[in-house]
Amino acid sequence: MYRFIARRLGSGVVLIAALATLTFFLLYLGAGDRIARQLLGEDADDAAVRAKEHELGLDRPIWTQFGHWASGAVHGDLGTSWFNGQDVRTAILSRLSVTVTLVIGSTLLTVVLATVLGVVAATRGGWVDRVVQFLGVLGHAVPNFLISLGLVTLFAISLHWFRPTGYVRFADSPQLWLSSITLPVLALTINGVSGVVQQVRGSVLDELGRDYVRTLRSRGLPESRVVYRHVLRNAAGPALSFLGVQVVGLLGGAVIIEQVFAIPGLGQVAVTATGQGDIPLVMGLVVVSAVLVVLVNLLVDLVQGWLNPKVRLG
Amino acid sequence: MNEPLLQVRDLVVEYPVKGLRRPPFRALHGVGLDVDAGETVGLVGESGSGKTTFGRAVLGLAPVTSGSIRFRGREISRLSRSARRGLAAQIQVVFQDPYTSLNPSLVIERTLVEPLLARRVPADEARRRVRDLLDQVHLPADAGRRLPREFSGGQRQRIAIARALALSPALIVCDEPVSALDLSTQARVLSLFREIQERTGVAYLFVSHDLAVVRHLSHRVAVMRAGEIVESGEVRQVTDHPQHPYTQKLFLAAPLPDPQAQRERREARRRLRAETA
Amino acid sequence: MSDPSLAVPDVASVPAPGSLRRLLRNPLGVAAIGWLALVLVSALLASWLSPYDPDEPAARDILAGPGSAHLLGADGSGRDILSRLLHASQISVAGAALTLLVAAVIGIGAGLLAGYYGGWTETAGTWVASLIMALPGIVALLAVRAVVGPSLWTTMAIFGVLLSPAFYRVVHAAVSGVRNELYVDAARVSGLSDPRIIGRHVLTVVRAPAIILAAGVGSAAIALQSGITFLGLGDPSVPTWGGMLNDAFANIYTAPVALAWPSLAIGVTCVALTLLSNALRDALERTAEPAPTRHDADDEHAAPPAPSGGEALLEVRDLVVAYRRPDGSARRVVDEVSLSVREGEVHGLVGESGSGKTQTAFSILRLLPAGARTSGSIVFDGTELTGLPAKRLTRLRGDAIAYIPQEPMSNLDPSFTVGSQLVEPIRTHRGYGRAQARARALELLDRVGIPDPERTFRAYPHEISGGMAQRVLIAGAVACEPKLLIADEPTTALDVTVQAEVLDLLRDLRDDLGMGVLLVTHDFGVVADLCDRVSVMRHGRVVETGPVDALFAAPQHPYTRALFDAVIATGEPAGSPQDGADA
């Protein structure tokens, strides 16, 4: 089991390193001298641009720049913003918790909803199944920012149940905090849950058709035990892999949704940094996202290993 | 003394095992076997004995680590892909599973003309030959326009035989060709194999776990266990007077469809077990 | 395409029979196609259909409501919403098409190579795919946007690269599944070249999943494109649905209706593409449907409890099992079957595939697949089983009536240890404590001849051999000392030497426990070895029943005789090639 974890962790680190290297060269080579000019304004003279490039270290060979960045990154230093000189790590970490809260809230809600709806759709069949399937198509197809807009229009602007936008920190007021994240979490979940429901439904149906289910029934086990202990456990594997991909999607979805709800999370940093061409900040965001994704995948692998003896021993 | 059609010597097949520094899995440990033109050699063994791997090695579908496979005197175990394609007219195959050995989305004619077209036979001529082949395996003339799922297991196996015959090969490797079939279908397909051999003089390498089937069709028999041949010889000698203890055990384990004879066989098996234990 | 033979005219190629017709019979699919056609037409004819120049602002029309001047109103700069919607559909369609093209070309190409050739191409492809998927798409796109600026086309092309792993995975999975199919082996042996095999056998399996995926990717492309432009990261000089939404969102309190038009355009188009994808899936593949209702309630009628007049442990009378065909008529797979099993007797139920023997066995245990309808009477030990409430039947199953399946490996739950699967029913039926049930399970494993019960108890199913697994299943079946054992081809999946041992074990257990056994098999050798009486089935009916010795000595029914004639075990060997006739 430890070797299994170590192997997964190792390949995750390699993945992050490869991604960071690739992104670094794409960003810094792609940026060229456009960035310095953009920072100074279009009418800056060439000498000023040169001076700015020298200040940012852009006139050094790309390998030197990369070495500098990488040696810092290994120690947790992701550089400073080109715009306001803020430390990139601080800028990201201060916003990280908000985004992670949204993603975790939405993931938990997704797991509960998907399990219940997926199992019910698979075992009941008939109209229950059709309704779940149809809602699934709608939730999956409509982009999350549209869902957000719909929720804001309905619950905040028409019904005044929630504040339309803004974020309150938990420490300031737990009640307002909950109220401020309810709609964003709902919007994220509605968009993401349907795929997981489909996956759970499909896996449960597959498992129900397997031989061992008939044999378990022949042994006189109650149907609820067959479904919830045996079928669900075997169906969880494929559904979990899908959930892993889905959580990565939620992370991306949060970027857009934060914009709609004016929530100060990573998404806002990302959009601002992108618009300004703040390359060190963008670089930092890529690395942090990759770390989050690797952590999610590791978690999924661990749960898989716990569920499935073949994975654990293999 | 004529050279055998197929001459296999010291054949070793190894499959790589996933994971670093793990030794490869050795499926065959130096196996030798001859097949003469026009004869049927039965290869018997239980699961994991390597009998299927042997057939696949002859077909060029398994990695040969060492040893030689000579066909009409020519070494064929290490041919390039294109040279191997040239052998298609000589060595053919009928697989066990009639459900996965035909592409489910192609009509029968399409599957059958493919090897002919690949050898530059004109399309009209190829289609005529296919109708002829379907007739040879006793399938209706309109069978070519239908999909595999419209046929029963036995009919599909006839189609697979027709595909094998399309290029008039000298040797057909038959990998458990009747074990997925019902008893009465089995008998009919086996007699089709015999009939084709009498008419065309094709040789069969007949791989099976079923002693009765092998005995029914083969001239010579080889018994495999754990990647090695433990006994081989003329069919009567091996099946009526097995020498190796494993062959004896194998024969006594197969139940006879006669309550009285089976009671005796069961007793004989108990005695053998007591002796060897 | 250097192979000239590829140019040979198609011989009876398959027109994927009926899949288009199935698609057009799906109302949601037709609606989706209709909407997408509308979007396409308005994209093509935008310049002619638009009443205004989409980029011309009119100060007096700012945020004008829908009316005769502006059919759908005007936006925050006084530009005509309808005209902008129409022009924006051009961008959406072309952008989605670009994304789709890039994703499909890269993903399908790489998937075919990696799937068919395996080896390092597979390793590399899968690694690159997971590298691309390690970033949320939007983060990757934002990063690219930081460098290349707001060009929509570059963004969509890059998005195509980011989505290509979806195609790669689907194609790779389909192709590597096919790579080891016997028909591909057969094609290789037939001398077909690799391009020919890919073209003929591999592309056909890739087609359906790729088409289904394409519709989904189109939907994702439009969603993402609108998302990016909604965030204000698009090119402000071209009208886009997302950009319009952004503008409307800024004025949500003054002109909320303006929000509706771009929302509808984006939402309905994405839903239409997803519905199309689902409709295509239904048309091209058939997916599993859940059972409509629990099958326990499907007995047509409960026969009156038959006065079981004798020593028979199991008395089946006039059993019928039928399934409904798609056209509504009933297909009888078991047709008025009657048979009885006495205590301590092994009754063989023998027949070829499709004779209804397994269906008969399952209907006694009420384990038939959903949709089966049964009638007739099944009396076990004086109790009528048909119409017995599900709860009471469940208590009988595994306790007084037990079952041994055919395939050892697939009949054990792969996620639980052998031990826990044995303990669970024992505790359910006997109410034993944990330790007591465990002791009983170990005793059973020992009884069925497993050399190291402790180790097997702790093992997972994939860690034991098929023969061992079958012994475990037998141990599970006899755990509660059943009166009746139903064995469905219990040795068919085993090697002959293992089969002989398992048959011996079944005989011993029958002697020890005095069970009645209903043994389903197709093998007359197994019948001769183990059975006391035998019933021969054909087309759902029992054609002949009798004691084994008598029936083997003098079969009465012509079908039984034909079956015996087909048995080759006792026939003469082929002999040598030259003198094959002298045997």
Side-chain angles (χ1 to χ4, degrees):
Chain A
M1 192 67 191
Y2 291 112
R3 276 181 54 190
F4 170 75
I5 299 174
R7 207 164 55 226
R8 290 303 157 104
L9 208 55
S11 73
V13 170
V14 171
L15 197 72
I16 294 170
L19 199 68
T21 311
L22 194 71
T23 314
F24 185 92
F25 282 97
L26 283 178
L27 287 180
Y28 280 79
L29 287 176
D33 64 347
R34 216 170 42 74
I35 289 297
R37 192 171 288 280
Q38 193 182 334
L39 293 175
L40 293 172
E42 286 304 318
D43 40 323
D45 63 57
D46 285 358
V49 170
R50 296 281 166 275
K52 187 75 184 172
E53 281 181 356
H54 182 73
E55 180 198 329
L56 299 175
L58 287 174
D59 54 348
R60 292 174 300 169
I62 185 86
W63 285 102
T64 319
Q65 293 183 51
F66 179 66
H68 182 73
W69 182 86
S71 64
V74 170
H75 298 101
D77 174 14
L78 293 171
T80 51
S81 159
W82 283 350
F83 258 84
N84 49 23
Q86 197 186 3
D87 181 48
V88 166
R89 192 173 65 152
T90 321
I92 291 176
L93 285 185
S94 64
R95 307 293 189 90
L96 186 63
S97 65
V98 182
T99 304
V100 169
T101 307
L102 287 184
V103 171
I104 290 180
S106 175
T107 306
L108 293 179
L109 198 57
T110 299
V111 168
V112 173
L113 278 177
T115 311
V116 172
L117 291 178
V119 170
V120 166
T123 53
R124 290 287 160 80
W127 67 269
V128 179
D129 183 38
R130 280 195 291 278
V131 167
V132 169
Q133 295 246 59
F134 185 73
L135 290 180
V137 169
L138 284 188
H140 173 73
V142 178
N144 56 15
F145 54 90
L146 278 188
I147 294 175
S148 312
L149 288 178
L151 291 177
V152 168
T153 316
L154 181 63
F155 290 110
I157 295 180
S158 300
L159 297 172
H160 300 288
W161 289 2
F162 299 97
R163 291 147 50 101
T165 55
Y167 179 73
V168 178
R169 288 190 307 167
F170 183 80
D172 295 342
S173 160
Q175 203 185 342
L176 287 179
W177 169 80
L178 193 65
S179 158
S180 69
I181 66 159
T182 303
L183 288 183
V185 165
L186 263 183
L188 265 180
T189 309
I190 291 175
N191 193 230
V193 74
S194 57
V196 189
V197 172
Q198 290 295 332
Q199 189 65 47
V200 171
R201 172 188 175 274
S203 318
V204 166
L205 274 183
D206 284 350
E207 292 299 323
L208 278 174
R210 299 214 192 280
D211 288 348
Y212 74 84
V213 172
R214 185 169 54 224
T215 299
L216 288 170
R217 286 181 179 147
S218 85
R219 298 279 190 259
L221 295 187
E223 188 64 19
S224 58
R225 207 170 161 82
V226 172
V227 170
Y228 287 99
R229 183 172 152 95
H230 293 273
V231 167
L232 201 55
R233 177 155 181 173
N234 285 294
L240 254 174
S241 305
F242 189 85
L243 184 70
V245 177
Q246 196 62 48
V247 172
V248 178
L250 288 179
L251 208 57
V255 170
I256 295 185
I257 283 198
E258 283 172 8
Q259 216 62 20
V260 178
F261 290 96
I263 292 176
L266 280 186
Q268 280 195 348
V269 183
V271 172
T272 323
T274 301
Q276 293 171 332
D278 195 343
I279 305 265
L281 196 49
V282 171
M283 198 54 219
L285 282 165
V286 166
V287 171
V288 169
S289 304
V291 170
L292 286 178
V293 170
V294 165
L295 286 179
V296 167
N297 286 336
L298 187 71
L299 203 65
V300 167
D301 283 341
L302 284 178
V303 181
Q304 292 276 31
W306 174 66
L307 283 174
N308 183 346
K310 263 190 217 171
V311 173
R312 185 164 57 219
L313 302 164
Chain B
M1 181 72 196
N2 280 344
E3 195 174 30
L5 183 69
L6 179 77
Q7 188 181 48
V8 181
R9 289 290 173 272
D10 304 321
L11 182 65
V12 175
V13 170
E14 286 178 343
Y15 288 105
V17 173
K18 268 207 169 150
L20 288 174
R21 294 188 299 277
R22 298 232 186 119
F25 169 70
R26 186 170 276 212
L28 295 180
H29 303 256
V31 174
L33 190 71
D34 289 352
V35 180
D36 285 325
E39 81 165 340
T40 303
V41 175
L43 194 56
V44 192
E46 296 192 289
S47 52
S49 63
K51 58 185 192 303
T52 293
T53 302
F54 184 88
R56 291 181 68 86
V58 171
L59 291 164
L61 298 173
V64 173
T65 308
S66 66
S68 82
I69 305 174
R70 302 175 82 82
F71 182 79
R72 293 197 158 131
R74 174 181 170 218
E75 179 62 46
I76 62 163
S77 63
R78 274 167 275 272
L79 290 182
S80 67
R81 271 179 187 247
S82 62
R84 184 80 224 181
R85 281 203 289 278
L87 264 181
Q90 310 275 333
I91 306 180
Q92 274 302 316
V93 66
V94 176
F95 286 115
Q96 165 177 11
D97 190 343
Y99 293 89
T100 59
S101 68
L102 295 170
N103 188 334
S105 56
L106 296 184
V107 295
I108 300 309
E109 189 179 51
R110 184 76 249 179
T111 294
L112 291 181
V113 294
E114 206 65 34
L116 295 168
L117 296 183
R119 308 191 79 79
R120 311 282 196 276
V121 175
D124 284 350
E125 164 75 8
R127 262 177 293 194
R128 203 188 49 70
R129 291 251 296 267
V130 165
R131 275 195 296 278
D132 194 43
L133 284 168
L134 289 173
D135 185 51
Q136 280 186 46
V137 297
H138 312 305
L139 282 173
D142 71 332
R145 287 196 297 276
R146 293 192 266 155
L147 287 168
R149 64 162 177 269
E150 298 172 56
F151 294 93
S152 69
Q155 287 174 319
R156 291 184 200 208
Q157 219 46 333
R158 288 169 190 275
I159 294 164
I161 294 171
R163 172 176 54 193
L165 289 174
L167 301 174
S168 315
L171 173 68
I172 300 182
V173 175
C174 308
D175 186 6
E176 305 259 17
V178 298
S179 46
L181 306 179
D182 273 330
L183 208 55
S184 46
T185 319
Q186 221 174 49
R188 283 197 295 272
V189 171
L190 285 177
S191 62
L192 177 65
F193 271 114
R194 253 191 183 169
E195 178 192 322
I196 286 168
Q197 187 169 56
E198 278 158 22
R199 196 175 56 238
T200 64
V202 67
Y204 296 131
L205 175 64
F206 202 93
V207 176
S208 179
H209 72 283
D210 190 333
L211 298 159
V213 166
V214 166
R215 181 178 145 94
H216 184 69
L217 204 65
S218 307
H219 304 105
R220 288 190 301 121
V221 177
V223 180
M224 285 194 77
R225 186 181 62 168
E228 285 170 12
I229 288 182
V230 296
E231 184 168 356
S232 66
E234 295 297 314
V235 64
R236 277 176 180 280
Q237 182 213 319
V238 175
T239 58
D240 291 347
H241 310 287
Q243 299 301 307
H244 193 279
Y246 176 72
T247 316
Q248 293 169 354
K249 182 181 166 196
L250 200 60
F251 275 74
L252 291 177
L256 287 170
D258 175 349
Q260 189 54 42
Q262 172 58 17
R263 270 192 284 276
E264 286 160 18
R265 179 169 273 198
R266 204 158 62 217
E267 279 314 308
R269 185 162 57 82
R270 292 229 169 99
R271 279 197 302 278
L272 178 73
R273 197 168 56 195
E275 283 166 26
T276 50
Chain C
M1 296 293 126
S2 59
D3 190 347
S5 59
L6 282 176
V8 166
D10 233 22
V11 184
S13 75
V14 198
S19 46
L20 186 66
R21 221 177 321 129
R22 276 207 297 280
L23 180 64
L24 293 180
R25 234 184 289 144
N26 182 339
L28 286 176
V30 173
I33 293 174
W35 173 262
L36 295 172
L38 188 70
V39 171
L40 201 63
V41 167
S42 49
L44 289 173
L45 303 179
S47 307
W48 288 279
L49 293 175
S50 299
Y52 294 88
D53 180 338
D55 293 320
E56 189 177 295
R60 61 188 167 82
D61 289 341
I62 286 177
L63 298 178
S68 54
H70 297 282
L71 202 55
L72 301 179
D75 70 1
S77 311
R79 296 171 296 194
D80 182 54
I81 290 181
L82 177 63
S83 306
R84 286 180 72 75
L85 267 185
L86 290 172
H87 278 88
S89 63
Q90 285 180 332
I91 308 290
S92 298
V93 170
L98 179 65
T99 303
L100 195 57
L101 188 74
V102 172
V105 167
I106 299 179
I108 294 179
L112 278 176
L113 282 181
Y116 188 72
Y117 291 105
W120 71 266
T121 51
E122 194 164 23
T123 315
T126 305
W127 206 80
V128 170
S130 63
L131 188 71
I132 294 178
M133 299 216 307
L135 266 193
I138 187 99
V139 172
L141 275 181
L142 289 179
V144 171
R145 162 73 172 68
V147 179
V148 300
S151 159
L152 203 59
W153 303 114
T154 321
T155 309
M156 295 316 284
I158 301 279
F159 190 48
V161 176
L162 294 176
L163 281 180
S164 62
F167 278 101
Y168 172 82
R169 294 182 120 195
V170 163
V171 171
H172 173 243
V175 175
S176 53
V178 164
R179 178 172 69 196
N180 297 319
E181 286 286 351
L182 286 177
Y183 62 79
V184 170
D185 278 346
R188 252 180 230 143
V189 174
S190 296
L192 302 196
S193 59
D194 283 345
R196 218 182 156 94
I197 293 177
I198 291 180
R200 183 59 64 200
H201 295 290
V202 175
L203 279 181
T204 50
V205 291
V206 168
R207 205 172 43 193
I211 291 174
I212 294 163
L213 185 63
V217 166
S219 172
I222 287 188
L224 188 107
Q225 182 195 41
S226 340
I228 292 264
T229 47
F230 171 68
L231 291 182
L233 296 173
D235 183 348
S237 65
V238 284
T240 56
W241 289 345
M244 296 177 67
L245 199 62
N246 188 345
D247 183 81
F249 185 50
N251 301 305
I252 189 166
Y253 289 100
T254 39
V257 187
L259 205 58
W261 312 119
S263 300
L264 274 178
I266 300 167
V268 177
T269 306
C270 288
V271 169
L273 280 165
T274 310
L275 285 176
L276 178 65
S277 169
N278 283 11
L280 284 169
R281 175 174 298 128
D282 290 344
L284 297 171
E285 294 173 352
R286 278 150 211 240
T287 45
E289 281 290 321
T293 42
R294 295 262 356 107
H295 48 269
D296 285 340
D298 276 6
D299 294 311
E300 270 175 1
H301 63 87
S308 68
E311 69 279 47
L313 177 68
L314 175 76
E315 192 76 50
V316 177
R317 284 281 161 266
D318 302 325
L319 179 70
V320 175
V321 178
Y323 290 89
R324 204 168 285 288
R325 290 202 189 89
D327 64 7
S329 64
R331 186 172 56 95
R332 287 189 169 197
V333 295
V334 174
D335 200 358
E336 300 187 355
V337 161
S338 298
L339 56 85
S340 62
V341 180
R342 286 180 215 130
E343 274 178 33
E345 173 191 69
V346 182
H347 190 129
L349 196 55
V350 69
E352 299 197 294
S353 51
S355 61
K357 54 190 192 303
T358 297
Q359 295 285 318
T360 303
F362 283 168
S363 56
I364 296 166
L365 288 155
R366 212 186 281 178
L367 287 176
L368 289 169
R373 307 198 145 261
T374 58
S375 68
S377 150
I378 301 168
V379 177
F380 166 73
D381 207 15
T383 311
E384 175 62 53
L385 295 187
T386 57
L388 197 68
K391 273 214 165 112
R392 284 190 57 199
L393 188 88
T394 304
R395 275 205 293 275
L396 279 179
R397 289 203 292 227
D399 192 17
I401 309 179
Y403 162 73
I404 302 175
Q406 172 174 358
E407 280 287 334
M409 294 318 280
S410 66
N411 276 288
L412 288 168
D413 184 337
S415 299
F416 290 84
T417 60
V418 164
S420 88
Q421 295 184 57
L422 284 174
V423 161
E424 203 179 352
I426 296 174
R427 296 191 62 183
T428 306
H429 289 298
R430 294 271 167 106
Y432 281 4
R434 208 175 279 274
Q436 203 180 0
R438 181 188 149 89
R440 171 74 181 142
L442 287 171
E443 178 192 323
L444 285 163
L445 289 174
D446 186 53
R447 174 67 192 84
V448 297
I450 282 174
D452 188 350
E454 285 278 357
R455 218 185 75 188
T456 307
F457 186 92
R458 284 192 309 270
Y460 283 94
H462 70 272
E463 298 171 301
I464 61 178
S465 72
M468 282 296 150
Q470 192 61 308
R471 286 172 196 273
V472 167
L473 285 162
I474 292 173
V478 301
C480 297
E481 303 188 339
K483 291 180 168 175
L484 175 67
L485 180 65
I486 293 175
D488 180 22
E489 306 258 14
T491 59
T492 305
L494 307 175
D495 277 327
V496 276
T497 48
V498 182
Q499 161 169 299
E501 292 163 13
V502 168
L503 289 175
D504 285 348
L505 172 64
L506 286 174
R507 187 181 302 103
D508 289 352
L509 285 170
R510 189 269 314 259
D511 293 346
D512 283 5
L513 303 172
M515 304 180 288
V517 180
L518 183 67
L519 179 80
V520 173
T521 182
H522 70 282
D523 187 334
F524 278 109
V526 170
V527 173
D529 186 70
L530 198 60
C531 295
D532 305 304
R533 284 202 305 147
V534 60
S535 294
V536 182
M537 281 191 78
R538 183 199 194 189
H539 299 331
R541 290 175 175 274
V542 170
V543 298
E544 185 168 2
T545 298
V548 162
D549 286 299
L551 190 131
F552 274 72
Q556 299 298 310
H557 195 276
Y559 177 69
T560 316
R561 284 204 292 273
L563 277 183
F564 277 114
D565 288 344
V567 171
I568 47 175
T570 47
E572 283 301 310
S576 56
Q578 284 75 29
D579 51 15
D582 76 344

